[in-house]
Amino acid sequence: MPRDPNSLDTLLQNPRLWRGRNPAQGMAGLASGYELLDRHLPGGGWPQHALTEILTGHYGIGELRLLMPALARLSAEDTLADFTEPGWIAWVAPPFQPYPPALQQWGINLSRMLIVRPKSDSEVLWSAEQALSSGTCAAVLLWPETLDDQASR
């Protein structure tokens, strides 16, 4: 009997899927800027060309600090060999307005930031998909819980 390519077992066998309890296999990570964290991340940093989910109890507890050094590197000049210019950092439906002075303090190139505020839930996911498939974004940040929050209002 052939295996269903969409079954959970098949998806979990994909080498691009890393789960915290399993060691990384052949992934080169982007340094997070935090040595202790990098020791626990696959490939010694944030997985590249992959989805990473950061789970928090609620927003605004400093969770973005985990990403700031890596985002600064991704938005800087000449850091991405695949691009002739630095990549865009797309923020899709952030729950708060990003604060430019703080982002600048972290070294993020504000001219490479793209804040997307879709009008509907369906546009949130569509916007994220477009940013991911564009080939011009170095990182796409998405807050899917905001979809649930908006639906409960």
Side-chain angles (χ1 to χ4, degrees):
M1 182 169 166
R3 216 172 185 185
D4 177 9
N6 295 320
S7 76
L8 180 59
D9 290 335
T10 303
L11 293 172
L12 291 174
Q13 298 304 315
N14 186 326
R16 292 176 57 186
L17 177 68
W18 174 75
R19 294 189 299 168
R21 65 177 165 260
N22 299 332
Q25 300 170 357
M27 294 170 113
L30 175 67
S32 71
Y34 301 97
E35 186 179 327
L36 182 60
L37 178 59
D38 286 344
R39 281 191 242 147
H40 296 282
L41 290 171
W46 294 117
Q48 297 183 75
H49 310 290
L51 173 70
T52 300
E53 183 176 17
I54 298 175
L55 302 172
T56 62
H58 54 85
Y59 301 123
I61 59 172
E63 66 277 6
L64 288 178
R65 289 186 341 188
L66 294 173
L67 301 174
M68 290 300 145
L71 294 178
R73 287 189 57 218
L74 291 172
S75 71
E77 299 291 336
D78 301 327
T79 59
L80 300 173
D82 295 347
F83 294 102
T84 56
E85 60 184 30
W88 290 98
I89 307 296
W91 301 58
V92 180
F96 302 108
Q97 179 64 34
Y99 187 58
L103 297 173
Q104 247 178 340
Q105 258 187 326
W106 278 103
I108 293 184
N109 180 348
L110 297 179
S111 70
R112 302 310 303 168
M113 280 190 49
L114 177 63
I115 300 174
V116 182
R117 297 244 181 236
K119 293 180 183 177
S120 70
D121 290 352
S122 63
E123 289 178 358
V124 170
L125 297 177
W126 180 86
S127 299
E129 181 182 11
Q130 296 305 305
L132 290 166
S133 64
S134 72
T136 61
C137 289
V140 177
L141 307 177
L142 170 67
W143 288 263
E145 290 84 11
T146 58
L147 297 173
D148 296 335
D149 293 345
Q150 292 169 7
S152 66
R153 290 182 195 164

